[in-house]
Amino acid sequence: MSEQQNNGNEMNLGMGSSLEELFGSALPPVDLGDQIPVSAQTMQPQPTPVGSQPAAASEVQQMQPQQSPQADAVQPSQQMAEQVQQPAIPQAAPAPAPQPALQAPTAQPEQPATDQQQAPAPQPAAGQVIDLFGAVAEDGAEARLSRLANTAPVFEYGSIREDITDPAMTFEQLRVKMSADCPELEARAHVSWTMSYAGITERVSSAETGIFETKAKIEKSKKFKDALKKLKEKDRDPVCTVKPTVTAQKKGVLRFPGYKGLFCSTAQAARSGKAIAYVPARDGKVYELRRNEIGTFVAPSQHIAELEDIRAGFQMSLPRLPAALLAQIIAFFRRVCVDYGRDLEALVNVLWDQQERRYVLHVPPQRIDQASVETDLSQQPDPERYLHVMDVHSHNTMAARFSHTDDADEQATRLYMVVGRLDRYYPEIRCRFACGGRHVEIPAEQVCERTDVPFSPEWLEAVQENGLKEAA
């Protein structure tokens, strides 16, 4: 045996001997599945033709004893050497190769060479790609659609953003709800709706349609599913936004219907032949004229839907008055009362330096007493440079209320402030403006900076409302 092994080791397997010549057709096929490349799986050994084997081959195979399990452990190189060194039957077929270690030994004899080998399981052709994750990707898309279906749409108008949580709410109900904070939405006929979702914008044809119903309709469309695939990773979960649009003419004036009109005089209204006419009057009110077979009726108008909704107010174009300057004014008012030994009023003009872009305090010559201030305006700073922004006067220890004298005097279009209760640590302050002889009060912090100063954030952590305490 050792001599045969040495001879086998000296063999040159590259001298023209093939695997078929060495192992014959008895080499059993081993199904390794997709663990080896496709090209290797398709290379099956070709069986030796039956006519090329001598008849004595089968007899020699039957005479060979059954191999023991230890024979399975013989190295292939040893078996090749033994098969090549057989002098008695040089033309016989080689002995069957040992079974792989993974297969249990069997006592049945080997099948004759004429038996056809079992056909291997079909394998994918070279270059074919198997999508093992197709079902997973499809499940992910369905899960994403389900997640988006459970998210609430968002109302978006200007700087307002609010989740819509009522599944039964219609666009019209949403308009009524938001018109309290957005007065321009009060006119139903002039409000239209759009829904934007994943880059798709749909115009709402009927305001009575449900919001969630419209959202679900978009989510079921093929266009929406295709749009989701094109979104970038940061936009994988788009937000469904509901936006109103107010349709109005220039300057906020809506078109009057054919039977209504706005006129400058009652004579123009009579000549127009309109059934309903609106005419502004000298008292500042707008009157409504209605005409029918009975006659002409005139009454103050309560509501004109076609006109812009205007509310009294003030919007500051300049910076607010610094808190330090307001503190100086209050300190001056208190010092006047102390120096004169009794409660007196005083006045300070707040000017805006248009060159240096800052506020300047100016105290004009004035004659004061306990209830009034008479000011000499002949020595005012250059009006080309200094803009008169506000008058601030004191009411000493009295309440900060504008008197009838103040109403008669404060007629110019500017800001006015009164400071009272100077005997207290924090005095009272009230502010208003004049517009065409009418006065409208506004919050003082709208035109003056607050006196807030920084403090430690730990203080807020130490404060807790009683209702927020956990039950013991």
Side-chain angles (χ1 to χ4, degrees), residues 94-424:
Q99 296 294 331
L102 296 178
Q103 296 180 356
T106 178
Q108 297 180 0
E110 295 291 339
Q111 296 293 335
T114 56
D115 293 348
Q116 295 183 355
Q117 298 180 359
Q118 183 180 0
Q123 300 295 334
Q128 182 179 355
V129 178
I130 301 177
D131 185 8
L132 300 179
F133 302 94
V136 178
E138 183 177 354
D139 294 341
E142 294 296 331
R144 182 184 181 192
L145 288 173
S146 177
R147 184 175 66 255
L148 292 176
N150 294 327
T151 59
V154 178
F155 172 81
E156 186 175 293
Y157 183 68
S159 59
I160 300 177
R161 288 179 60 90
E162 182 179 1
D163 290 347
I164 304 171
T165 57
D166 186 0
M169 177 173 285
T170 64
F171 292 92
E172 172 59 18
Q173 292 172 342
L174 179 61
R175 182 195 66 80
V176 174
K177 174 185 175 182
M178 302 307 300
S179 61
D181 297 324
C182 307
E184 58 271 33
L185 301 180
E186 291 181 354
R188 173 181 178 178
H190 303 286
V191 177
S192 61
W193 295 90
T194 57
M195 179 175 285
S196 299
Y197 203 2
I200 300 174
T201 301
E202 296 286 345
R203 183 172 296 276
V204 179
S205 58
S206 174
E208 301 297 336
T209 308
I211 298 175
F212 279 74
E213 176 186 350
T214 305
K215 176 175 177 287
K217 184 178 179 181
I218 295 178
E219 291 171 342
K220 295 178 181 178
S221 65
K222 182 179 182 300
K223 180 169 60 174
F224 178 76
K225 296 178 181 178
D226 293 341
L228 287 182
K229 300 177 182 178
K230 300 178 182 179
L231 292 179
K232 297 181 179 179
E233 187 64 28
K234 63 178 182 179
D235 301 325
R236 297 295 290 176
D237 293 328
V239 178
C240 177
T241 57
V242 178
K243 300 180 181 180
T245 301
V246 180
T247 57
Q249 291 180 318
K250 295 180 180 179
K251 301 182 181 179
V253 179
L254 305 180
R255 183 184 300 276
F256 279 98
Y259 57 88
K260 299 172 70 174
L262 180 64
F263 304 96
C264 296
S265 64
T266 55
Q268 290 182 356
R271 290 194 298 267
S272 68
K274 302 288 185 180
I276 302 176
Y278 299 101
V279 180
R282 184 178 299 174
D283 59 5
K285 298 179 181 180
V286 177
Y287 288 85
E288 183 174 322
L289 283 69
R290 291 178 177 258
R291 188 174 18 245
N292 58 22
E293 292 81 359
I294 302 174
T296 301
F297 304 83
V298 181
S301 178
Q302 299 295 326
H303 180 72
I304 307 176
E306 291 80 9
L307 297 183
E308 184 179 358
D309 187 13
I310 301 177
R311 298 181 180 181
F314 173 72
Q315 184 175 357
M316 194 83 170
S317 299
L318 299 175
R320 293 186 298 174
L321 180 68
L325 295 184
L326 179 59
Q328 291 182 28
I329 295 174
I330 295 174
F332 167 69
F333 289 159
R334 284 174 171 164
R335 185 61 180 268
V336 169
C337 295
V338 171
D339 287 353
Y340 284 89
R342 60 193 183 97
D343 295 339
L344 297 174
E345 293 189 2
L347 174 71
V348 175
N349 293 335
V350 179
L351 309 179
W352 174 254
D353 189 340
Q354 300 183 81
Q355 292 185 7
E356 298 186 6
R357 308 294 297 174
R358 65 185 183 91
Y359 283 104
V360 175
L361 302 181
H362 173 65
V363 180
Q366 52 194 280
R367 299 178 64 87
I368 61 176
D369 59 27
Q370 192 173 2
S372 64
V373 178
E374 295 182 5
T375 307
D376 182 5
L377 300 179
S378 60
Q379 300 181 15
Q380 286 290 94
D382 182 8
E384 297 295 329
R385 175 176 176 176
Y386 297 97
L387 179 64
H388 195 161
V389 177
M390 179 166 51
D391 288 345
V392 185
H393 73 280
S394 68
H395 273 191
N396 46 68
T397 59
M398 297 185 296
R401 296 177 181 175
F402 293 98
S403 64
H404 293 293
T405 303
D406 297 335
D407 294 342
D409 179 67
E410 298 174 351
Q411 295 293 314
T413 304
R414 64 171 66 108
L415 298 169
Y416 299 92
M417 181 181 294
V418 58
V419 182
R421 306 298 187 190
L422 291 171
D423 55 332
R424 300 179 181 179

